Amino acid sequence: MTTTETAAPVTTREEGPLTPQTILDRARAAAPLLRERSEEIANTRHLPQDVVELLRGTGVFRIGMPRAWGGPELTFAQQAEVIEALSYGDAAAGWCAMIGMDTWIYAGYLDESLVEEMLTRPDAITAGLIFPVGRADRVPGGYRVTGRWPFGSGVTHADWVVGGCVVHSDGKPEPGAHGAPVNWRLMLFRQEEVGTIDTWHTTGLAGSGSRDYEVTDLFVPEKRSFDFTTPRGTGPLSAPDAFLGNVSGVPLGIARAALDHVRELAAGRTEKATGEPWAQTYRVQTAIGESEMRLAAARYAVYGTLRDLWDRLESGTPPTPDQQVSSALARVNAFRTARTVVSRLSDLVGTASIYRSSPLDRWMRDLHTMCQHILAQEQIVQSAGAHLLGGTPHAPFPLGLKG
């Protein structure tokens, strides 16, 4: 089966095929339940299994499944909106949902027989690092793989795990296609084939369970390996970096949650020195107005560039240099703006925000941690500028989809 063929619609026991609106409604309904579990999730340092099943029930893990396979095929903007809704409830849950839905993006590069097998579980979850820190030695029928990968967000509950590898033949690295220095290929492991190492002791995003994971001399058949050069389908979801389309939903959801939280606090607070209600206080009004202004601008940049990107990929219109970098810059700005907004609100609330019992403390730590992710680092901004000026980008992946 190829992505140009039409499969039977994927359904749930209770109803017909999931629509984008149904998935979004379910994500919004799940948010309060996730909020109630946030402290537990952080303390456990991974998602409890019932929380994983709650996420599965929303349909979030199939949002990248093409309609040709019976999926809902959400656009990049629709995907980001679902992730934003879940992150409004809990940052780690939103982060793991964003990572875990890549199953159907990766499936677009895999052997058809394997995709047929994967389609029996439409809400399958994938985790793993794509960068080639592992080694795959070519053998008859596949590869012998050894490696240890960091940052396996969701690896504690994933059904499938990917690991980027440099392919070797006769003990030497293979050269890559089109002048690339090495042959960079992703290996797809079954969850039970992977060992995890509990390294995830971090300031924030603790509940994502982003542990190291490893395999040693594991045979991986050829059909469970792929690269991003040969998609089987066409359209936006077959773009090499389609798995980046919803990343910005996480920081946007957190910032929105923080703003709503402080606006609720303001309704019952007064200035200690004057007794003036917060709602009538200039400094409070200014802080809220400024935060809303920053978040609105960042959010519209994200969704505007994602919609533009989808339309261009769908129509096959070549992007201008500025269009190529626009969504990458909007993504970095979303992370930075969310951190700025939550920091501003923490300053407004004052000492009450420093206690672990305050969600502002957790949101601040979560954003500080996720802003260190490679997708939100300075090198993305540098690479965008270099692309526009004809210089040398430093980011180790194409700006393409997000840029």
Side-chain angles (χ1 to χ4, degrees):
M1 183 185 68
T2 67
T3 54
T4 59
E5 297 171 341
T6 302
V10 177
T11 62
T12 64
R13 289 188 299 272
E14 299 85 3
E15 54 192 287
L18 289 180
T19 66
Q21 188 60 52
T22 299
I23 295 172
L24 179 59
D25 290 343
R26 289 182 178 185
R28 287 171 172 165
L33 305 176
L34 294 171
R35 181 75 59 83
E36 292 173 2
R37 304 289 295 279
S38 284
E39 194 63 26
E40 176 193 351
I41 290 170
N43 291 336
T44 304
R45 294 187 301 110
H46 62 81
L47 298 188
Q49 192 57 42
D50 66 321
V51 172
V52 174
E53 297 310 316
L54 173 63
L55 292 176
R56 279 194 212 268
T58 66
V60 65
F61 296 117
R62 67 178 77 177
I63 61 178
M65 183 188 286
R67 282 188 294 270
W69 290 348
E73 192 174 314
L74 273 65
T75 67
F76 301 141
Q78 289 171 329
Q79 291 180 26
E81 200 171 12
V82 171
I83 299 302
E84 183 181 16
L86 293 171
S87 301
Y88 184 88
D90 180 73
W95 187 268
C96 287
M98 176 268 293
I99 296 290
M101 60 72 58
D102 292 343
T103 303
W104 301 109
I105 304 298
Y106 297 149
Y109 297 84
L110 291 167
D111 183 89
E112 293 176 15
S113 64
L114 182 58
V115 175
E116 290 278 10
E117 176 187 341
M118 294 169 71
L119 281 169
T120 62
R121 190 171 196 190
D123 295 302
I125 301 168
T126 300
L129 184 73
I130 68 171
F131 295 119
V133 298
R135 171 171 175 157
D137 285 278
R138 198 179 289 276
V139 297
Y143 307 88
R144 284 284 174 186
V145 180
T146 296
R148 174 170 170 168
W149 296 263
F151 307 118
S153 300
V155 73
T156 57
H157 60 258
D159 303 295
W160 297 96
V161 181
V162 299
C165 292
V166 174
V167 177
H168 288 63
S169 290
D170 301 321
K172 297 180 181 179
E174 293 182 358
H178 310 296
V182 294
N183 184 3
W184 170 9
R185 200 159 178 83
L186 280 78
M187 303 292 149
L188 188 66
F189 314 122
R190 299 184 188 280
Q191 197 274 340
E192 61 271 16
E193 296 173 332
V194 174
T196 62
I197 305 97
D198 189 4
T199 53
W200 193 242
H201 299 270
T202 56
T203 299
L205 213 61
S208 67
S210 304
R211 303 176 179 184
D212 287 14
Y213 60 99
E214 62 183 356
V215 300
T216 303
D217 195 32
L218 175 69
F219 176 72
V220 177
E222 180 69 39
K223 72 176 184 178
R224 283 205 272 126
S225 73
F226 65 100
D227 61 35
F228 290 120
T229 63
T230 53
R232 296 186 178 277
T234 58
L237 291 177
S238 295
D241 45 1
F243 60 92
L244 301 177
N246 53 32
V247 176
S248 302
V250 183
L252 292 177
I254 296 170
R256 182 71 264 163
L259 257 166
D260 288 352
H261 172 72
V262 174
R263 285 171 60 175
E264 290 175 8
L265 285 180
R269 284 204 170 196
T270 57
E271 292 284 68
K272 291 181 180 179
T274 65
E276 185 178 23
W278 263 27
Q280 301 299 326
T281 304
Y282 183 87
R283 74 177 187 97
V284 178
Q285 295 167 340
T286 302
I288 295 298
E290 181 183 77
S291 297
E292 289 284 1
M293 175 181 67
R294 290 179 181 273
L295 180 57
R299 190 173 188 275
Y300 274 92
V302 165
Y303 284 100
T305 56
L306 287 180
R307 291 187 182 101
D308 177 64
L309 177 60
W310 183 275
D311 291 343
R312 284 190 284 108
L313 290 173
E314 205 169 37
S315 66
T317 305
T320 66
D322 290 84
Q323 287 174 326
Q324 280 191 296
V325 304
S326 61
S327 54
L329 293 176
R331 178 183 67 242
V332 176
N333 184 59
F335 279 92
R336 293 183 176 182
T337 298
R339 182 168 59 179
T340 297
V341 165
V342 175
S343 179
R344 180 78 170 90
L345 296 173
S346 296
D347 289 344
L348 176 66
V349 172
T351 53
S353 71
I354 68 173
Y355 291 96
R356 292 282 176 145
S357 58
S358 169
L360 284 169
D361 171 72
R362 184 174 60 253
W363 289 323
M364 192 73 256
R365 288 184 285 110
D366 288 342
L367 283 164
H368 175 74
T369 296
M370 68 180 65
C371 280
Q372 311 316 312
H373 193 281
I374 193 169
L375 296 177
Q377 288 178 5
E378 188 77 20
Q379 61 184 312
I380 304 300
V381 182
Q382 178 275 330
S383 295
H387 181 76
L388 295 174
L389 297 174
T392 303
H394 291 176
F397 49 82
L399 291 177
L401 167 63
K402 287 310 183 284

